[in-house]
Amino acid sequence: LPGSVLKLELDERGISQKDFADIIGMKTSNLNEYIRGRRSFTSDFSLKLEKALQIPADIWMNLQLNYELAVARKQKLDIDEQAALNEIEEYDKIISIKDLIKRLDITAISYRNKLKELNLKLNLPPAAELQVCTSHWNYFKKSDKLRTDPRMVLSWTLLAKYAVKDVHVGGEFKVSDKELIVRDLCSVLHENEDTINKVRDILSNRGIKFSIVEKLDSTPIDGYSFFDNGTPCIVVTKRRDKIDNFAFVLMHEIAHVFLHLSKNQKEEFVTFEENERVDKYEREADKFASGSLIPEKFWREAPKVELNPYKIQQVYTSWARINNLNKWIVLGRIGHELNFWRFREDGTRSIN
């Protein structure tokens, strides 16, 4: 404030405002208005200061100009901040801004910078456009029993797409590689040693992006498959740290890539936790996953056992070993088909 500079100068020189007003021929009340910023320094007033204090008038005029520019910048900043806040509030009706900021480690203080970083990382379309896009999605039409928060699901899918942005693949995707990919993945899944890294390498070498993104609240999501600029992507939540769950979800998404997405790259599939699929494509993916992990010719010859958890686990553990299958992938299929999960865990079910 130019008036503050003038007051400091008068204080330094031991001149009271009343005496200085007399020196420059001005009422004390008028001088006080200049000092308090209620009046702007004019060229005439600056010349009076130059004469009385021997400080060039252009210095006083520059102080006034710089002050006015600073005020203008602050007013514009306030307007921009309010505009950014309004935009964030519109987005927050559709996606969880709080969760996205936390997951993306955005530390900006101002709303404007928060919005800038969100757009930079997620490439967000306008809120109204995002709302229109989601209204056409069928993620939430697959089961009347499914309890999800569409806002949180959409937030998670944005995080998933962000996660694969910097994932690079080492090979080219070919639909004709399906059998080779299924064979290599099944081998790794049944072995369950350094599983995540081996899965990532297999998929990368065959031109498929792979990532793990932890789920958000109210999002019972297992996996997500889509194309990103011509490259198939699979993102899983690893919601349960169990090899049978991970293996089934992974192969389910592989099914979507080869059976559905390769025919229509604009489609997307979000796989939710459901006991019974009501969607045709989801049922097809389930069938593909089960048949890939345990070939039907093996499964048809599986032993018949009474419905006793101890007996089932004992017999099928032995059967899995004989057929070079992971016992928990076998028991997981039994559990899924019979809705029977009372098996004793021994520390080998986790993803290794």
Side-chain angles (χ1 to χ4, degrees):
L1 187 67
S4 298
V5 177
L6 175 57
K7 184 177 184 304
L8 286 173
E9 189 65 30
L10 294 178
D11 289 344
E12 283 291 322
R13 301 189 186 201
I15 306 173
S16 68
Q17 290 185 32
K18 182 178 183 304
D19 289 342
F20 190 70
D22 290 339
I23 293 171
I24 61 176
M26 178 181 289
K27 291 182 179 179
T28 305
S29 58
N30 290 345
L31 174 63
N32 186 254
E33 287 184 348
Y34 279 109
I35 289 175
R36 296 174 65 183
R38 294 184 176 180
R39 289 194 185 193
S40 299
F41 281 34
T42 62
S43 55
D44 181 62
F45 182 65
S46 296
L47 286 170
K48 289 181 179 180
L49 296 181
E50 180 182 73
K51 182 178 180 181
L53 300 174
Q54 302 302 306
I55 297 176
D58 58 343
I59 290 180
W60 297 109
M61 291 299 294
N62 283 335
L63 284 173
Q64 181 64 43
L65 177 61
N66 290 337
Y67 171 71
E68 290 174 358
L69 286 172
V71 170
R73 287 194 181 98
K74 183 178 184 304
Q75 289 175 341
K76 187 176 187 309
L77 179 62
D78 290 342
I79 293 171
D80 289 346
E81 271 293 279
Q82 187 60 52
L85 174 58
N86 292 342
E87 193 169 351
I88 284 175
E89 288 177 342
E90 287 302 307
Y91 276 121
D92 201 50
K93 296 174 183 177
I94 310 165
I95 52 181
S96 175
I97 294 296
K98 180 185 73 173
D99 286 288
L100 290 174
I101 285 176
K102 180 179 179 180
R103 284 290 188 92
L104 296 171
D105 196 27
I106 293 175
T107 58
I109 302 299
S110 72
Y111 292 114
R112 187 174 61 169
N113 288 335
K114 285 179 182 178
L115 185 61
K116 182 179 178 181
E117 287 196 50
L118 282 169
N119 279 315
L120 183 66
K121 293 176 183 289
L122 302 179
N123 194 27
L124 290 172
E129 184 179 325
L130 188 61
Q131 180 70 67
V132 170
C133 289
T134 56
S135 67
H136 297 294
W137 292 357
N138 62 354
Y139 296 160
F140 317 106
K141 300 176 183 176
K142 297 180 179 177
S143 172
D144 293 335
K145 299 178 181 179
L146 188 61
R147 294 184 178 181
T148 62
D149 181 345
R151 179 170 162 270
M152 300 300 286
V153 172
L154 179 55
S155 300
W156 183 85
T157 61
L158 290 173
L159 290 171
K161 288 184 175 179
Y162 172 73
V164 301
K165 274 172 49 175
D166 294 328
V167 174
H168 300 287
V169 294
E172 179 184 356
F173 174 70
K174 298 176 184 177
V175 176
S176 58
D177 286 341
K178 181 180 73 172
E179 298 303 325
L180 293 174
I181 292 175
V182 169
R183 181 201 65 190
D184 291 346
L185 287 176
C186 286
S187 175
V188 165
L189 293 168
H190 283 292
E191 182 185 53
N192 193 24
E193 293 291 340
D194 194 24
T195 306
I196 299 298
N197 288 328
K198 289 179 180 178
V199 163
R200 183 180 288 110
D201 289 343
I202 290 170
L203 295 179
S204 175
N205 290 335
R206 298 292 181 176
I208 301 175
K209 292 185 177 184
F210 174 77
S211 186
I212 297 173
V213 175
E214 183 182 346
K215 79 176 192 72
L216 295 172
D217 292 336
S218 302
T219 54
I221 294 174
D222 282 320
Y224 181 30
S225 48
F226 55 95
F227 264 75
D228 176 44
N229 294 322
T231 301
C233 305
I234 291 176
V235 182
V236 300
T237 60
K238 212 173 66 170
R239 193 163 52 86
R240 293 190 178 93
D241 186 23
K242 298 177 180 179
I243 186 58
D244 50 308
N245 178 260
F246 174 73
F248 187 82
V249 168
L250 177 64
M251 299 310 294
H252 181 100
E253 301 309 322
I254 286 289
H256 281 315
V257 168
F258 284 101
L259 302 183
H260 309 130
L261 291 172
S262 60
K263 299 174 183 177
N264 181 5
Q265 295 188 10
K266 294 182 179 180
E267 185 65 274
E268 297 180 1
F269 291 92
V270 176
T271 302
F272 296 99
E273 176 189 32
E274 293 182 84
N275 291 328
E276 183 179 352
R277 307 289 188 191
V278 299
D279 180 84
K280 169 189 173 185
Y281 298 120
E282 296 302 316
R283 291 200 304 269
E284 288 178 351
D286 275 357
K287 184 178 179 181
F288 179 96
S290 295
S292 297
L293 289 167
I294 306 175
E296 290 304 318
K297 64 177 182 179
F298 285 171
W299 199 238
R300 285 194 297 269
E301 298 172 0
K304 302 295 186 286
V305 186
E306 61 182 289
L307 199 61
N308 175 288
Y310 173 77
K311 192 69 174 176
I312 291 174
Q313 187 163 1
Q314 182 184 47
V315 170
Y316 274 90
T317 294
S318 177
W319 181 80
R321 187 184 308 113
I322 292 171
N323 290 283
N324 293 317
L325 301 173
N326 183 286
K327 68 179 181 181
W328 285 111
I329 292 178
V330 172
L331 293 172
R333 178 164 177 174
I334 293 172
H336 180 74
E337 292 185 356
L338 301 180
N339 194 25
F340 190 82
W341 301 100
R342 290 175 292 176
F343 300 122
R344 181 177 59 85
E345 299 202 17
D346 56 4
T348 63
R349 195 175 183 181
S350 298
I351 304 168
N352 292 328

